[in-house]
Amino acid sequence: MNVGRGLFVHVGLFVLASASAVAVWTRDEQPKALVQTEATVWPGRPADVARVVFEGKNRKVSLETKSDKLGAYYVGTLEREATPPPVNPDAGAPPPAPGAKSKTEFVGVGVAQKLVESLAPLKALRALGRIPEDRAAEFGLAEPEGTLTVTISGAERKLVLGGTTPGGGDRYVREPQTGETYVIDGSAVRDLDTAESRLVERELHGWKEAEVSTAELSAGGKKRQIVRGGPEGKRFWADPAAADQKDETAANFMGKLDRLRPTDYVMSEPAGKQDVLRVEYAAGASLGFLELVRVPAADPAGKPDYFVRTERTRLYAKVPAQTAEQVEQDLGSILK
């Protein structure tokens, strides 16, 4: 018994000593300046966000919050330095002057809303504490990549943007007022840095076609209602008088409408617009609408531009002329 008890004591002491040695060996390898814990960078609610501004090395993106009875949407502005074309002595137009900037305005809804939700409140994946200036370069903060400013309830919250984390898409940031450094999810910065592809609203509606029960088409003083028939999962467009039979003409027409993807938004109603088509969508109650308008070219020999507006886009946006022309040409067959 005494021998066994002594053996257990020695084994226990050996384990304790080994653990202590490992702790001493690894203690100095941990970054002393970093306290890696989750944290809230700032509080807030998405509904209280009035403005988001991202300033990068060659671009500035701002989002202004707007709202209507359908909820929040965002009017964006993208300013970027114009890229000079390749040097070509035979080219007609001179290259843009150094420092020249282009400006694009747009509407954001789906992705923009998720972006705002990620910023209020802003959660950090890790709080790293105050990083000494001699280590700022390790985190991309010696030469920051830009700034992010969010106005919440009238107060501006600002971050200096450092580099991305090794092997990942998260980003080091510093709050200039406190000097605190954090690691945040990099999605918001990526969306803002690629606003022209990520934040511009391209969807016509927030609902799916399968949710629609009826659609009323109006053009040139004529109206027609079509309905959704068929079993669940295999719905089709049909005439109300034969709701169990697919109407190929109506189906093809509605498919072309769905391809009217917004490209360039305009902040005011297009001058000289001519109404082409209006569609009212419903499922018992109203779901939304689509307006298609034409703007004749200033040159009589030129082609017109087409613009679309829906309950989701709020403002008019240019759509591909070829698809819009097909829609206009098919009106005679759909509105007999």
Side-chain angles (χ1 to χ4, degrees), residues 24-328:
V24 171
W25 181 264
T26 60
R27 180 177 55 200
D28 292 337
E29 295 181 3
Q30 302 300 322
K32 295 180 180 179
L34 307 186
V35 181
Q36 300 194 8
T37 59
E38 293 184 357
T40 298
V41 182
W42 59 60
R45 302 182 308 156
D48 296 329
V49 174
R51 180 177 169 87
V52 177
V53 179
F54 164 76
E55 295 187 71
K57 293 183 177 179
N58 62 356
R59 62 176 48 208
K60 178 180 179 180
V61 180
S62 64
L63 291 176
E64 298 280 353
T65 302
K66 306 290 183 180
S67 63
D68 57 18
K69 62 181 180 180
L70 296 178
Y73 66 100
Y74 305 88
V75 174
T77 302
L78 166 61
E79 298 177 73
R80 51 187 168 181
E81 294 182 5
T83 303
V87 177
N88 183 356
D90 297 328
K101 294 184 178 181
S102 63
K103 181 178 178 180
T104 303
E105 296 177 295
F106 61 91
V107 171
V109 184
V111 176
Q113 179 63 36
K114 292 180 180 178
L115 168 82
V116 169
E117 290 172 354
S118 71
L119 296 175
L122 177 60
K123 299 286 187 178
L125 302 176
R126 297 192 297 280
L128 306 181
R130 298 185 180 185
I131 304 299
E133 285 304 316
D134 60 359
R135 296 193 59 192
E138 298 177 35
F139 305 92
L141 292 166
E143 297 182 5
E145 296 188 13
T147 60
L148 175 63
T149 306
V150 184
T151 304
I152 307 174
S153 299
E156 283 194 352
R157 305 283 190 166
K158 189 171 185 177
L159 291 177
V160 175
L161 305 175
T164 56
T165 55
D170 300 328
R171 187 171 289 270
Y172 296 112
V173 298
R174 173 185 281 166
E175 192 173 21
Q177 289 183 331
T178 64
E180 296 292 328
T181 303
Y182 303 91
V183 176
I184 65 170
D185 187 305
S187 300
V189 176
R190 287 195 297 273
D191 288 344
L192 288 161
D193 196 32
T194 56
E196 61 270 44
S197 60
R198 290 289 295 153
L199 294 180
V200 180
E201 186 57 52
R202 309 292 185 189
E203 296 294 329
L204 295 172
H205 309 287
W207 36 263
K208 304 298 182 184
E209 189 180 57
E211 300 174 44
V212 181
S213 298
T214 63
E216 184 177 84
L217 291 72
S218 306
K222 297 181 179 180
K223 289 187 178 183
R224 181 189 175 186
Q225 187 180 78
I226 55 177
V227 300
R228 298 285 287 174
E232 194 70 30
K234 296 182 179 180
R235 306 291 299 278
F236 50 73
W237 288 106
D239 190 87
D244 59 342
Q245 298 177 21
K246 183 178 181 179
D247 187 318
E248 292 290 350
T249 301
N252 291 336
F253 184 82
M254 298 302 283
K256 290 176 182 178
L257 281 184
D258 193 50
R259 293 197 293 274
L260 293 173
R261 294 300 180 195
T263 55
D264 303 316
Y265 280 83
V266 292
M267 297 297 107
S268 59
E269 189 173 282
K273 72 178 180 69
Q274 300 170 347
D275 295 337
V276 175
L277 171 70
R278 182 177 175 89
V279 183
E280 296 280 355
Y281 301 91
S286 174
L287 286 176
F289 68 92
L290 179 148
E291 291 179 0
L292 178 64
V293 301
R294 179 200 323 107
V295 176
D299 181 355
K303 291 189 175 182
D305 289 325
Y306 290 86
F307 296 81
V308 72
R309 184 171 75 95
T310 71
E311 81 289 340
R312 185 173 180 86
T313 69
R314 269 76 167 196
L315 303 181
Y316 284 99
K318 188 178 289 188
V319 292
Q322 184 175 3
T323 304
E325 285 177 347
Q326 292 176 1
V327 169
E328 186 172 23

